[in-house]
Amino acid sequence: MKTLKALILRWVQTSVSASGRRAVSKSFICKFGPIMKELPVFSPDNRRLAYVGRSGESWFVVVNGKEEQPYDGIVMRTLIFSPDSRRVAYGAGVGKKQFVVVDCEEQKSYDAVGNGSLVFSPDSRRVAYEAEVGKKRFVVVDGEEEKPYDSFGDGSPIFSPDSRRKAYIARSGTRWFVVVDGMEGKSYDAIGDGSLTFSPDSQRLAYAAKVDKKWFAVADGQEEKSYDALSKPVFSPDSRRLGYWAGSGAKRFVVVDSKEEKPYDAIGDGGLTFSPDGQRVAYAAKLREKWLVVADRQEDKPYDGIGNLVFSPNSRRVAYMATIGERRFAVADGEEGKSYDDFGQLIFSPDSQRVAYWIKDSGRYHVVVDGKEGKPYDGIGEGTLIFSPDSRRVAYEAKVGRKWIVVVDGEEGKPYDGFPDGTIIVFDSPSSLRYLASRQVAKGRYDVYLVEERFD
């Protein structure tokens, strides 16, 4: 199933798998109903669902089956859950006015609320968004209006990871600048959309800026060397290091701690990746007609293509998918695995000892764990492959004919007609997991369930 329509909480059903190892609790969550304005939104903990419904000329938000206040309209791309999944916010309209609704409480009304601008702070306590009155726009934070500007850059406002600081990209006339905690920074010809980023410790701020035809990184208010092109700056997990790729003429190269690395013909779409401990850097680079992984300035073997580059959680291992001709295979610690027609998601286990990914070969899909192929299926759910917290179990969604199942350590669960888009498998403990699934009850109508499983 690819879309949901309505939500009504009802009952719980429990059963046990034939092997006796897998106990399943199934809670009825939602049922198809009125056509929705947008796709549903799932809470971060994957237990709550919200969507925009309609009845006659009225629009309303439905959260876990409960309809909220009806309005003349709901602002597109504003419906969000807080990071802790407890709060809900969205933009609504009555007549020619729009306003933000937080936990069913209406905020001050304006001429418009910015599409996609509504955001909770990481601690879920604060709310920020863009609003408009006449030709002026301003950011509203915790109900307080900041200075008006002509427009704002994409991807802002943002909160720092500790939720204490806020920043956004603004324009006044033809000049662009970053506003941090209400203070305007230096103005430039342009600020890179989506380039504004806080360090993980919330102490540092960086972005890409442009003067004339040159781009450069601005970190902690200091401008770095200028180039013809620049990517979004990236902080290391320990917040001490800053990296990005830059371009000079036709060449591209990675810059880390203001030091340029070897130039290449291109840098992979994923840009550079810091290891979890912040000490290592890796990226995919193109040299003439070949791609190779560069880790700690050391080049791996060249291939026709590179994808899915990841560090292990302990930062010691590097893995990625490589291509030679029409064949694809995993490379972990420099060792090539068996080749296949296609591949997908590649992950390390939490203890860094195990590697898993899905592959496609001869029209069938398999999950490969520790080099061993699992049973073939008609499909594997994108982004659903996951290890348990203790690294012992592997779970994923798989397709059998027209049905979908969850596979755990090779054992198949009960079949369903689908899994809602945007949902994932979540391990609550080494011996329990949950996911959302659907069953078709009539043409175009589905029931959706929260399925919780426990294992011996």
Side-chain angles (χ1 to χ4, degrees):
M1 187 196 73
K2 298 303 179 185
T3 57
L4 306 179
K5 302 299 178 183
L7 191 69
I8 306 173
L9 188 63
R10 284 192 178 175
W11 50 267
V12 177
Q13 180 182 27
T14 302
S15 61
V16 179
S17 66
S19 66
R21 296 179 56 248
R22 195 166 174 175
V24 181
S25 295
K26 187 174 63 176
S27 305
F28 183 86
I29 298 181
C30 61
K31 182 182 289 291
F32 274 86
I35 296 175
M36 296 183 300
K37 186 177 182 180
E38 297 179 301
L39 288 176
V41 176
F42 299 94
S43 61
D45 66 5
N46 217 37
R47 291 182 179 276
R48 304 181 74 193
L49 180 151
Y51 65 92
V52 178
R54 182 180 182 181
S55 178
E57 298 300 317
S58 296
W59 295 88
F60 47 86
V61 167
V62 182
V63 183
N64 274 26
K66 183 178 180 181
E67 293 183 8
E68 298 201 352
Q69 176 73 26
Y71 297 104
D72 294 339
I74 302 297
V75 182
M76 294 286 288
R77 299 190 297 113
T78 59
L79 178 57
I80 58 170
F81 281 99
S82 59
D84 66 4
S85 300
R86 297 178 180 179
R87 309 182 70 189
V88 177
Y90 53 90
V94 173
K96 295 182 179 181
K97 294 294 183 179
Q98 294 184 345
F99 44 86
V100 166
V101 180
V102 183
D103 301 329
C104 298
E105 294 291 332
E106 298 174 6
Q107 311 297 301
K108 182 178 177 179
S109 61
Y110 300 100
D111 292 343
V113 171
N115 290 358
S117 69
L118 185 57
V119 61
F120 277 104
S121 59
D123 66 4
S124 302
R125 297 179 179 178
R126 310 180 69 188
V127 177
Y129 55 92
E130 297 172 13
E132 181 178 334
V133 174
K135 295 183 178 181
K136 286 295 183 180
R137 301 177 181 179
F138 44 87
V139 167
V140 181
V141 183
D142 304 327
E144 297 293 327
E145 299 169 7
E146 302 212 340
K147 180 179 176 179
Y149 296 102
D150 294 327
S151 65
F152 297 100
D154 289 346
S156 61
I158 63 170
F159 283 102
S160 59
D162 66 4
S163 301
R164 296 180 179 179
R165 308 178 68 192
K166 60 184 182 300
Y168 50 89
I169 301 167
R171 178 179 63 84
S172 182
T174 61
R175 306 294 290 174
W176 291 87
F177 43 86
V178 169
V179 181
V180 186
D181 301 326
M183 300 295 292
E184 296 176 5
K186 183 178 177 179
S187 65
Y188 299 101
D189 294 338
I191 303 289
D193 280 341
S195 69
L196 187 60
T197 181
F198 278 104
S199 59
D201 67 2
S202 303
Q203 300 302 306
R204 307 180 66 189
L205 182 74
Y207 53 91
K210 184 181 183 182
V211 172
D212 295 326
K213 296 183 179 180
K214 294 292 186 178
W215 287 91
F216 47 88
V218 180
D220 309 318
Q222 300 298 310
E223 299 172 3
E224 298 200 352
K225 183 178 176 179
S226 60
Y227 301 98
D228 296 331
L230 198 82
S231 70
K232 175 181 179 176
V234 178
F235 282 105
S236 60
D238 62 7
S239 301
R240 297 180 179 181
R241 312 180 72 188
L242 183 73
Y244 48 87
W245 66 254
S248 181
K251 292 296 183 181
R252 298 290 184 268
F253 44 87
V254 163
V255 181
V256 180
D257 302 330
S258 301
K259 297 178 181 178
E260 299 174 4
E261 298 199 356
K262 178 179 174 179
Y264 294 95
D265 297 319
I267 301 298
D269 290 341
L272 64 91
T273 300
F274 281 104
S275 59
D277 65 6
Q279 301 302 304
R280 307 182 66 191
V281 177
Y283 54 91
K286 186 178 183 181
L287 187 60
R288 291 180 287 276
E289 298 302 317
K290 295 293 184 179
W291 286 87
L292 46 87
V293 166
V294 182
D296 306 322
R297 294 179 179 261
Q298 299 297 311
E299 298 178 353
D300 276 5
K301 179 180 175 180
Y303 298 101
D304 294 334
I306 298 291
N308 296 27
L309 174 62
V310 293
F311 276 103
S312 61
N314 67 5
S315 302
R316 297 176 183 175
R317 307 180 66 190
V318 177
Y320 54 91
M321 307 302 292
T323 301
I324 294 180
E326 298 298 321
R327 304 295 288 177
R328 296 167 172 81
F329 48 89
V331 180
D333 307 318
E335 296 292 326
E336 299 176 0
K338 181 181 175 182
S339 64
Y340 301 97
D341 294 338
D342 202 358
F343 60 81
Q345 183 187 6
L346 183 153
I347 59 172
F348 279 102
S349 59
D351 67 4
S352 302
Q353 300 302 306
R354 310 179 71 188
V355 177
Y357 51 91
W358 65 257
I359 59 90
K360 180 181 179 182
D361 207 48
S362 301
R364 301 280 278 169
Y365 294 80
H366 308 250
V367 165
V368 179
V369 183
D370 303 327
K372 298 179 180 178
E373 297 176 11
K375 181 179 176 179
Y377 293 102
D378 297 316
I380 299 294
E382 188 68 31
T384 63
L385 181 61
I386 186 173
F387 279 100
S388 60
D390 63 359
S391 302
R392 296 178 59 189
R393 301 184 185 277
V394 179
Y396 55 92
E397 296 172 0
K399 187 178 184 181
V400 181
R402 296 184 177 181
K403 299 291 185 178
W404 285 86
I405 59 174
V406 167
V407 181
V408 183
D409 296 336
E411 182 182 356
E412 300 177 352
K414 291 188 174 182
Y416 296 95
D417 291 315
F419 299 108
D421 280 354
T423 62
I424 58 175
I425 298 171
V426 178
F427 271 98
D428 291 313
S429 73
S431 59
S432 63
L433 58 76
R434 54 187 159 84
Y435 53 90
L436 294 179
S438 64
R439 289 193 188 281
Q440 187 174 17
V441 295
K443 185 176 181 180
R445 298 182 62 84
Y446 292 82
D447 289 345
V448 178
Y449 304 85
L450 171 65
V451 182
E452 299 179 272
E453 302 192 12
R454 294 190 61 85
F455 307 89
D456 293 337

